[in-house]
Amino acid sequence: MFYKLVFIVMFVLSLSSQASILNDIKSFDANFEQKIINPSQKEILYKGHLVLKEPYYILWQYKEPIIKNVYIINNFAVIDEPELEQAILTELQHEIDIISLIKNAKEVSKNKYVANIYDVEYNLFTKDNFIQKIEYKDALENSVVITFSDIKQNIEVDEEIFKFLPPEEYDIIRK
């Protein structure tokens, strides 16, 4: 799931910078709700906050039902799990080819774009030049819907918020 989130953010950034209907996004700040529905119709709802800044800074802050922060700078990620007092440091397995992503993103109707990357179809929905929602089905056949609210685009974002400094008591896991 973590790698899918990385892909989604890169998809949003790359599509937004190319699509004429959307603003040229340099930064994006929004609350999100991420709904995951498995094939047997069980539903999990995550809530949190997302901040990203060009060219490669991302911070997912999960607030419900668990607290977790995912820091991404370029192709390096830190998963901060405060409730477990641990952080996982890892390099992302797949490079995201933004050029390929852009070429695959197509406007299919007003305010809807589709891209097929790594055999997954992603649907991006916009309203008033803002990204409102992303939908896709993951490799485990889960339906995933991420809805954004309180959206701010192209605001000043201090790069310091993307740097993770673990507390002394944390266990550090390198993968």
Side-chain angles (χ1 to χ4, degrees):
M1 177 172 57
F2 165 71
Y3 296 110
K4 293 290 182 195
L5 293 176
V6 172
F7 169 78
I8 289 167
V9 171
M10 298 307 290
F11 172 67
V12 169
L13 276 177
S14 64
L15 179 61
S16 297
S17 66
Q18 294 298 312
S20 60
I21 194 168
L22 299 175
N23 294 328
D24 186 21
I25 296 176
K26 304 269 186 259
S27 67
F28 185 83
D29 182 297
N31 292 324
F32 70 87
E33 287 190 358
Q34 178 183 4
K35 187 186 311 183
I36 301 171
I37 304 168
N38 71 16
S40 64
Q41 299 302 306
K42 281 193 169 185
E43 184 176 301
I44 301 172
L45 181 65
Y46 296 96
K47 293 182 181 184
H49 191 83
L50 169 67
V51 181
L52 45 102
K53 180 180 179 179
E54 278 190 335
Y56 46 70
Y57 296 97
I58 304 167
L59 174 57
W60 289 92
Q61 297 173 305
Y62 288 87
K63 298 179 181 182
E64 294 178 29
I66 59 168
I67 297 172
K68 181 185 290 195
N69 302 300
V70 180
Y71 299 82
I72 301 167
I73 298 177
N74 204 359
N75 65 341
F76 187 77
V78 175
I79 303 165
D80 168 29
E81 300 184 85
E83 294 174 8
L84 300 176
E85 293 184 349
Q86 74 177 20
I88 301 168
L89 286 59
T90 187
E91 279 196 52
L92 301 178
Q93 292 178 351
H94 299 286
E95 291 291 323
I96 305 298
D97 183 353
I98 295 174
I99 301 299
S100 171
L101 216 82
I102 293 167
K103 289 179 182 177
N104 285 302
K106 295 185 177 21
E107 186 172 12
V108 294
S109 63
K110 184 177 179 172
N111 300 325
K112 182 180 179 184
Y113 299 82
V114 174
N116 288 292
I117 307 295
Y118 304 123
D119 297 323
V120 176
E121 181 175 282
Y122 293 86
N123 296 291
L124 171 70
F125 300 88
T126 63
K127 182 179 177 189
D128 301 326
N129 294 339
F130 290 101
I131 301 142
Q132 296 291 310
K133 180 169 59 172
I134 297 170
E135 297 178 349
Y136 65 95
K137 195 167 276 215
D138 69 16
L140 300 174
E141 294 298 310
N142 295 312
S143 296
V144 181
V145 178
I146 302 172
T147 306
F148 299 106
S149 62
D150 300 321
I151 302 162
K152 298 177 197 104
Q153 290 179 176
N154 299 328
I155 61 171
E156 285 295 318
V157 177
D158 185 354
E159 291 175 9
E160 290 297 311
I161 71 165
F162 301 101
K163 296 178 182 169
F164 173 70
L165 296 171
E168 228 177 82
E169 67 275 8
Y170 263 45
D171 292 325
I172 304 299
I173 301 165
R174 289 173 169 56
K175 286 189 172 183

